[in-house]
Amino acid sequence: MYSRLHILLFLLYLKNAALDVFHETTAAFPTPGCCYEKQVGTERYVLVNDEDTTTAHNDCNSNCVYEKKTAPSSRYCFKAGNDPFHCRAEQEPTRSILPIIEGNESFVQDIIFQKETGVLVLKVPPHKDYTESVYVFEEKSGTSLVKTGDVCQLADLPTHFNVSASAERFESQATMNQGNNESEKVTSFVLKTRDSRLGSRRRAELVPDVQDLCNNVPLVKTKDLLVNETEFEKFKKGEVIFVERKSSRRCLMHKSCTTGEPKACGYGWDNPAGGGLSFHEVSAGSICVTCNMNFTTGPLIGCDTALCNCTEITNKTSLVDCSIKSKVNSNIEIKRWNDTTTRQQQQPILTQSMVYNRNYERRSITISSPAHKDIGALEVVMHAHKDGWWHNGIYNQKEMTNGTLVTYDSLENNQMMKLGNTCFISTLNASVFPVDIAIGIQEIKKGNDVTTADDELDTHAILRDLGHLTAAEETTPHYEVDIHAFLLHLDLLTAAEETGLHEDIQSRCLDSNFKRNVETPITKIQSDDLKNGKIIFMGSVPSRSYCQLQTAVANNNTGCWRFPNPDNKSSILWVHQIIHSVTEVPCCLTQTESEFSTCCQDNHPKYRECKDIMAAWNNALFVSSGYDSATLSSVEILQEGIDGNYTSKQVDINGGCSAPPDLPLATSSATGSLFNGVPHVCVGYKDGEPSAKCFGFKSDGSWRNAFNLTKPLTDGGSSVTFGAWDGVDTPWWIVGGEPSGAGTEVWGGDPPAEIFNITLPAIIHTPCMAKINEYEAFVTAIPKPDSDSSNFAWIFNIQTNNWTRLQDTIKKRVGPACGVIKNVTGKYVVLAGGWESSTTEIFNLETKIWTMGPSL
């Protein structure tokens, strides 16, 4: 929080000391009309040369050559354009130099004064143990700034400091000499206490010279505190000094700061009321606290009631209580977006809240970021041990104390991220200091009403399940263990661990699942792919020569939060972390399609191939209609996850995600297909008059009546689409419209038309059909008159118009479901369920034999 600064000589003329100064003034550039310093748009440029620009830059409008102030050694000339511009200073500033001797060391301080802008700049080179320092003063705005150690510190200009008068004294003393008289030098000692951090919008309000000097480095607002040399030397040695004393008749307010090596056990805070305490495992920096000291016993009189009483600060917890506000709201400007519910453009201000809870022994900090755009809400909770420390560290151990075995409590599971309906639990990383995060949030809030995207550094990460191995998996070859170690099982908390979670975690996770997690960084491209519903592949594990194991990762939920940038050399205020909760599945990737294409099957048969996961991910099931005490019109879209489970998905309607709309009619035993590139459904059985309508699902999320069947599917139907045949891209074969005959309908084209008929080999009802390949379909049905024990079955080939009778099914099934599956052992038809049946049977398309399958 404090940095020491040795401010040299800029106050000397106020003391009327006689000085010897080198005064150097460069002659003005001879080219008429050349402005010395100009601003074009938001950039500023300084004249560096007068040269012929007609040869190399024949579109420049003068011979004035400039350097961009934020890009040393750059060279620009200008032509007419649309950017606004103005001349900040017609003439070059006055430049002076001041030789200084300190002990056995001498150096030169540069003094630059631009009379037209009223800006005075002092440049002090490195000397002794001080880094290079640049000072900027401007009286109109009250600017006093120093840049040292790659940090800019802005303070209010002292009321007694006259910038123009000081600059004039430098000029009037422009007599060459060989040095200054040590006895005439006056040195001021200043401590700068950090007050707030400034973002891009606040920076843009500052003097342009400050903006240029502090480009890409931190800029903090400070309070300047003058101290004497004795106090300054004590501070340099790491001792605590008490500063900014304010008093009333019966109360004194002290400010004290932690000092020493942040991570050393001896790091401490001295209490103005006497004594002190260790600050180990609380902060990585320095923390300042102002507290009240009463001159008499009894209630505090004349004190600031918002401050703590110094005598009450007795441990780490009470010190932190005095450092952090109960609640801070940070306003963050983001890009406008359209609300998918109201269809209205939303305001671009997001409010992230931080709450410090001192109501429990284990103090906690909660940061809440609301849902916005396509990002979900995220809550982060971090908490301390009841004794005030925030990390596990050395405390999770036992030792003998005075002959007694003392067990130090462990500190585990003290960080939670809630994303969606899952609370991800982890133990706080030793490099993360929540107290510093909270104080940083306070400083950013104090310095900025609103921050913008220019104040943020985007990072991306996924929350991976923290897994474990079973006994069987421990015997897996080493090249497979790495993936098993964190992918195959969810590492859930035990009941005892859940009970031991902090109260703030439990209250926020009442209806949520708990998972342990490990945070893993990913790239922006990977993050965008996850957010856009794509699969990413990570963690390649070299395996056999021609295949390797990878991890397929799919997004579950996305959230984000902002925390202060820990990089103390950066001008960026926030780290904007986009977090994804994900599902992970190991898979095998064949690296060649040559004769080694069976590498995954041969060496990793229990893993799915990565390409199969991708293929499944790009497909979805469109489910509509049905019967549940009445016919249904509902519609649902199901997508297979990388773990094999299906989840319901929404559709993009007018730029927003919504559930797919219901069918215009309620029906059961309907049939549908992907026809002409979009889902189509033909009405089956319906209450009342039958319907021949077939509806198409439009790209805007609505249904249209695409065509009408010649004969309605009064008792229900079934269908398949074939590959391109006879000039039709996707002929759609529909069966069931003639329950007492052998006729069917085939539709094709766009707009659809009935193109021909296929005659059934028998009169059937309640058919079930499945596509085998582009030209063949499986058909099964109950023949008329009804069979007593089984269904008939055929394979139909549209190219040859040929029916192949198959072995009858094992069981009789009324209205079953059927489909074709393929695996490494072959290709099969699965026939499942039917009226009052939960059995299945499987037909081997190679052996042409039915066998019973597992029950549903």
Side-chain angles (χ1 to χ4, degrees), residues 473-537:
E473 288 161 356
E474 290 177 355
T475 64
T476 306
H478 66 87
Y479 51 80
E480 295 182 1
V481 165
D482 291 340
I483 283 187
H484 276 86
F486 54 84
L487 296 179
L488 292 185
H489 293 283
L490 301 179
D491 193 2
L492 304 178
L493 272 67
T494 65
E497 288 172 328
E498 289 190 19
T499 301
L501 292 172
H502 191 277
E503 292 85 350
D504 284 340
I505 295 178
Q506 293 190 41
S507 65
R508 284 168 170 78
C509 302
L510 290 175
D511 299 319
S512 302
N513 301 315
F514 289 106
K515 289 184 183 178
R516 297 188 201 278
N517 77 278
V518 58
E519 188 177 301
T520 301
I522 58 175
T523 66
K524 182 182 185 305
I525 293 176
Q526 290 174 318
S527 179
D528 289 344
D529 282 346
L530 288 174
K531 196 165 60 172
N532 293 327
K534 297 180 181 180
I535 297 174
I536 65 172
F537 292 90

Side-chain angles (χ1 to χ4, degrees), residues 405-575:
L405 181 63
V406 177
T407 302
Y408 292 96
D409 295 336
S410 64
L411 181 60
E412 297 177 328
N413 303 327
N414 67 326
Q415 177 172 281
M416 183 277 290
M417 285 188 173
K418 183 179 181 182
L419 192 54
N421 197 37
T422 302
C423 290
F424 295 90
I425 305 297
S426 60
T427 298
L428 195 67
N429 190 291
S431 64
V432 177
F433 289 86
V435 172
D436 295 349
I437 290 176
I439 291 175
I441 289 175
Q442 292 177 175
E443 291 178 350
I444 293 173
K445 172 62 178 180
K446 190 171 184 180
N448 309 270
D449 293 330
V450 177
T451 60
T452 71
D454 293 333
D455 301 316
E456 299 178 357
L457 172 67
D458 288 347
T459 64
H460 309 267
I462 59 175
L463 300 178
R464 312 184 78 165
D465 295 326
L466 199 62
H468 52 81
L469 295 175
T470 65
E473 288 161 356
E474 290 177 355
T475 64
T476 306
H478 66 87
Y479 51 80
E480 295 182 1
V481 165
D482 291 340
I483 283 187
H484 276 86
F486 54 84
L487 296 179
L488 292 185
H489 293 283
L490 301 179
D491 193 2
L492 304 178
L493 272 67
T494 65
E497 288 172 328
E498 289 190 19
T499 301
L501 292 172
H502 191 277
E503 292 85 350
D504 284 340
I505 295 178
Q506 293 190 41
S507 65
R508 284 168 170 78
C509 302
L510 290 175
D511 299 319
S512 302
N513 301 315
F514 289 106
K515 289 184 183 178
R516 297 188 201 278
N517 77 278
V518 58
E519 188 177 301
T520 301
I522 58 175
T523 66
K524 182 182 185 305
I525 293 176
Q526 290 174 318
S527 179
D528 289 344
D529 282 346
L530 288 174
K531 196 165 60 172
N532 293 327
K534 297 180 181 180
I535 297 174
I536 65 172
F537 292 90
M538 299 178 61
S540 296
V541 180
S543 179
R544 309 297 185 184
S545 299
Y546 300 98
C547 54
Q548 63 182 10
L549 299 180
Q550 288 193 325
T551 305
V553 181
N555 192 42
N556 294 329
N557 290 286
T558 301
C560 72
W561 67 310
R562 292 160 174 86
F563 56 87
N565 187 0
D567 182 359
N568 58 14
K569 300 295 184 183
S570 173
S571 62
I572 304 298
L573 297 180
W574 297 110
V575 173

